[in-house]
Amino acid sequence: MQAAPVRATAIPSVTDALRAVESLLMSSGQRTARRNAWSSVLEDRRRAKDRVEAQRVIEAVGPARTS
């Protein structure tokens, strides 16, 4: 009984395939702009998550005091 042959090349991931299509369809400036926009979206989500956590901490401490 023989072992199955081993593939010499890796199967590309979906991400790799999408980046290849992106490079064919978009100029480098458009790719950079899209990636920058996506980075901004991720950063906005992170800040929103931080705001929610800060609000929970403030509410857990107790009612706000007014002078």
Side-chain angles (χ1 to χ4, degrees):
M1 196 186 268
Q2 290 183 332
V6 177
R7 262 187 192 262
T9 59
I11 298 172
S13 68
V14 172
T15 302
D16 292 337
L18 289 175
R19 285 186 194 237
V21 170
E22 175 188 61
S23 68
L24 292 173
L25 298 178
M26 295 181 159
S27 71
S28 88
Q30 289 174 320
R31 283 194 308 271
T32 301
R34 186 192 59 78
R35 288 185 182 143
N36 287 344
W38 183 243
S39 293
S40 294
V41 167
L42 295 177
E43 183 63 21
D44 288 346
R45 289 177 181 176
R46 187 193 62 76
R47 282 195 299 265
K49 183 179 172 184
D50 289 347
R51 279 194 304 273
V52 169
E53 183 60 28
Q55 185 64 37
R56 286 184 184 143
V57 169
I58 290 169
E59 290 172 356
V61 169
R65 293 183 179 172
T66 56
S67 302

